[in-house]
Amino acid sequence: MGSNSKQVSEIPIVDLTGLQPSLPSGERWEAAKAAAAAALQSHGFFEAIYPSLSAELRGEMLGRAAPEFFSLPLESKRRSTSEEPYQGYIGQAAPIPYESLRIDAVDSPIAVQDLTRLMWPQGNPTFFNAVVAFAKPLRDLAEMVQEMILQSLGVDQKHYDALVNLTDHGLRLSHYGVPVNQETEIALFPHLDPNLLSIVCQHEIGGLEFQIAGGSWVNAEPSPTSVHVMAGLAFQAWSNMSVRAPMHRVRMLGNEKRFSAIYGTRPSHNSIVKSPEELADAGRGPLLYKPFNYTELVRFLCSKQGMGHSPEDAFNSYCKLQN
Ligand SMILES: O=C(O)CCC(=O)C(=O)O
Ligand SMILES: [Fe+2]
């Protein structure tokens, strides 16, 4: 661990053991809700203790299905392409030995089946089953955290329903190879995720780090019973800064390749992100962001103009109001 990394005690922990989105109340729910809302406000991330994502599901996905996918020939992997940034399969962007696949609509078995057949025209039930089974508890977790934040903001149920209706669910599988140059520890540069929520599941090999107040980095240690949950920019804007998106990065410290899975919720294609007016009431101050089209935000952040600034400055220049 480098001198600018701190110990894991800097990472808030929220215990979600046994909680379910279909039962969004009760003493344990309230305790987890308070802790999750406080953590996403102060840090933008937390470690969620969540044994529903069992060791078996993790092993099937990250120990077996993901390595099998990434070992396919490049021309197979490239069959999943997209015009939009960070969609489908991306990789081979030397010098960083990184490749990833975003599985869209991962909550729909039909979509997962279509992608599986695109990669393996003869089918691959092991891959299909691993993705569907792994995604289910993560979908529950994302929905619970979104609901906890909305409950704690006290906004009307109609806003929760509207947010759920525009939420897309996706799973990114990532593969980090061993850096060619062992001096280059940074495998994924510091960035903010643009979406609503990201849930990172590491498997055996760590490397994810979050930036905390003061600028230092904390190491998010992998654990077989927990995942790391963080807010993205769309949630930061929607919640009128009641949650904030944290800077994070990936460092490769050893010489073993690494697989991770990032479950992401985000506003659906071309949908408009708009804070509920009532978040400006009750002494919270004015709304900080103007409504924006999510797809266009992502295009802007990935454009030459957007990349020319720090992630935060680029985002603020796109949609922050000058109050
Ligand atoms: O692989 C990880 O641990 C995190 C990756 C990440 O931050 C991302 O894909 O946005
Ligand atoms: Fe990220």
Side-chain angles (χ1 to χ4, degrees):
M1 195 183 292
S3 57
N4 62 346
S5 288
K6 292 222 171 142
Q7 288 305 315
V8 286
S9 58
E10 302 277 1
I11 298 186
I13 296 181
V14 181
D15 187 358
L16 293 147
T17 308
L19 296 178
Q20 296 194 1
S22 54
L23 281 172
S25 60
E27 211 172 294
R28 294 202 42 250
W29 171 273
E30 291 301 321
K33 175 171 113 183
L40 292 186
Q41 164 74 261
S42 61
H43 289 67
F45 61 90
F46 59 85
E47 177 175 349
I49 301 180
Y50 191 58
S52 304
L53 190 70
S54 67
E56 193 191 340
L57 293 175
R58 291 160 186 260
E60 283 296 307
M61 183 73 256
L62 289 166
R64 187 166 173 195
E68 189 184 349
F69 167 75
F70 287 113
S71 64
L72 281 171
L74 192 54
E75 61 272 19
S76 305
K77 293 185 278 193
R78 282 200 172 138
R79 277 188 220 126
S80 175
T81 53
S82 170
E83 302 273 283
E84 300 294 339
Y86 300 116
Q87 285 294 105
Y89 173 77
I90 50 177
Q92 277 65 51
I96 303 174
Y98 167 78
E99 54 180 341
S100 86
L101 172 75
R102 187 176 198 278
I103 305 172
D104 280 331
V106 72
D107 51 333
S108 150
I110 293 173
V112 177
Q113 186 64 277
D114 286 351
L115 179 91
T116 306
R117 288 208 173 269
L118 192 63
M119 296 301 153
W120 292 275
Q122 72 285 16
N124 183 339
T126 314
F127 182 86
F128 170 81
N129 289 329
V131 172
V132 170
F134 183 82
K136 172 73 179 77
L138 288 169
R139 182 197 170 131
D140 288 350
L141 176 57
E143 287 189 352
M144 283 196 284
V145 175
Q146 285 185 199
E147 167 124 32
M148 284 176 177
I149 299 307
L150 270 72
Q151 278 188 7
S152 73
L153 289 174
V155 293
D156 194 280
Q157 178 70 27
K158 71 172 192 250
H159 294 303
Y160 179 73
D161 296 341
L163 192 67
V164 167
N165 284 338
L166 67 70
T167 299
D168 264 3
H169 294 254
L171 183 70
R172 177 177 299 288
L173 302 178
S174 296
H175 169 215
Y176 300 78
V178 178
V180 184
N181 170 359
Q182 287 288 329
E183 304 283 292
T184 321
E185 292 176 339
I186 303 291
L188 200 61
F189 283 100
H191 65 281
L192 302 168
D193 284 1
N195 55 356
L196 292 165
L197 281 180
S198 297
I199 304 171
V200 181
C201 180
Q202 307 184 87
H203 185 60
E204 292 163 6
I205 311 291
L208 174 65
E209 295 185 340
F210 291 103
Q211 196 169 38
I212 53 170
S216 51
W217 292 89
V218 289
N219 177 19
E221 301 256 356
S223 133
T225 48
S226 65
V227 289
H228 288 87
V229 176
M230 76 179 110
L233 289 167
F235 210 18
Q236 174 174 317
W238 187 93
S239 69
N240 201 28
M241 205 66 170
S242 299
V243 303
R244 57 178 205 85
M247 285 286 267
H248 57 286
R249 67 183 184 187
V250 176
R251 281 207 301 162
M252 288 286 287
L253 299 174
N255 49 19
E256 279 181 273
K257 56 188 176 185
R258 170 180 190 264
F259 295 95
S260 63
I262 302 99
Y263 191 93
T265 56
R266 64 175 186 194
S268 54
H269 192 68
N270 278 330
S271 61
I272 303 296
V273 178
K274 183 176 182 304
S275 307
E277 291 290 336
E278 64 213 70
L279 288 184
D281 300 341
R284 289 178 206 263
L287 289 184
L288 298 169
Y289 299 94
K290 54 187 174 210
F292 59 87
N293 175 311
Y294 178 74
T295 308
E296 280 168 17
L297 164 74
V298 176
R299 282 185 197 142
F300 171 76
L301 294 175
C302 296
S303 69
K304 219 170 160 192
Q305 200 189 351
M307 301 287 261
H309 299 90
S310 73
E312 196 181 354
D313 287 351
F315 178 61
N316 286 341
S317 76
Y318 191 76
C319 60
K320 192 148 194 222
L321 289 162
Q322 307 300 322
N323 290 299

